[in-house]
Amino acid sequence: ATHLKVALELDPKYSDARNNLGRLYIETKQYDLAAQELSVVSNDLTYPSPEKALANLALAYYKKNEFQKSRDYAQQALKADKTFCPAQSVYGLSLFALEDYRKAVAAFDRVSTQCEREKEESRYYSGLSLYKLGQKEKAVARMQEVLSLFPEGEYAEKAKNMIGIMKW
């Protein structure tokens, strides 16, 4: 953080450094500071990668449980670059948190086909969304995909537990 702050003291318009500082604040759970820094970057019309700042801003608001703001910033990020996987992922998570499960399933399905790093999480949340929509068989199938494709993954145990719950 110190290096990023020094870089910003030397050049307050260095948006890459400010975006990275915002991301660092997210990782250290300082979401208000993150939103403050990332708002500056998202308003920089010369910043060549607005989708990055907007997706990070969406993530900061998601972590703050401000899901409508999160969804809105994720949508803006996707307008800048519809293929940007972090924006697609936080968009789906925001929709899920807002209980808009139909849109969430569609968003998670896009993520799982287009984004390598987010495949496990998106399949898991797609399964949860399907379950919330009352589509138990599809939900169980999605959770089984998580187990077969990512047996040692972050969501494997959760998927296994959800299958037990869903089969009741």
Side-chain angles (χ1 to χ4, degrees):
T2 305
H3 292 90
L4 294 170
K5 289 178 183 177
V6 168
L8 288 169
E9 282 176 24
L10 294 171
D11 182 2
K13 294 183 181 185
Y14 187 15
S15 289
D16 269 333
R18 193 172 301 280
N19 185 54
N20 290 337
L21 182 60
R23 184 61 195 208
L24 181 65
Y25 284 143
I26 291 170
E27 296 304 318
T28 57
K29 298 177 174 41
Q30 298 176 73
Y31 307 124
D32 290 329
L33 289 173
Q36 183 180 331
E37 295 296 339
L38 294 164
S39 290
V40 173
V41 181
S42 70
N43 289 321
D44 178 358
L45 299 177
T46 65
Y47 187 53
S49 305
E51 70 281 357
K52 290 180 182 178
L54 290 164
N56 282 334
L57 198 49
L59 182 60
Y61 280 110
Y62 177 79
K63 297 285 190 175
K64 287 177 54 147
N65 296 325
E66 293 185 35
F67 304 120
Q68 287 180 325
K69 279 187 177 179
S70 176
R71 178 202 58 206
D72 294 347
Y73 281 115
Q75 282 179 313
Q76 288 180 40
L78 291 170
K79 283 180 187 169
D81 181 353
K82 68 181 180 201
T83 65
F84 191 57
C85 291
Q88 290 183 30
S89 182
V90 74
Y91 179 64
L93 291 170
S94 298
L95 290 170
F96 182 83
L98 291 167
E99 300 179 9
D100 192 345
Y101 302 120
R102 286 193 199 293
K103 286 184 182 175
V105 168
F108 289 127
D109 288 350
R110 274 192 306 278
V111 172
S112 69
T113 59
Q114 298 173 4
C115 305
E116 194 58 43
R117 287 182 59 213
E118 293 86 355
K119 281 187 180 196
E120 181 187 6
E121 178 183 73
S122 64
R123 280 197 166 88
Y124 176 79
Y125 276 99
S126 177
L128 287 181
S129 298
L130 287 164
Y131 183 68
K132 295 280 192 176
L133 290 169
Q135 299 178 29
K136 279 174 117 175
E137 286 181 30
K138 287 183 179 179
V140 169
R142 206 55 54 85
M143 292 299 173
Q144 288 172 333
E145 285 177 21
V146 171
L147 287 174
S148 65
L149 294 171
F150 311 97
E152 303 298 319
E154 180 183 349
Y155 289 89
E157 193 62 34
K158 291 178 184 179
K160 189 174 174 182
N161 291 337
M162 285 306 301
I163 289 171
I165 291 168
M166 292 174 180
K167 287 192 171 182
W168 278 94

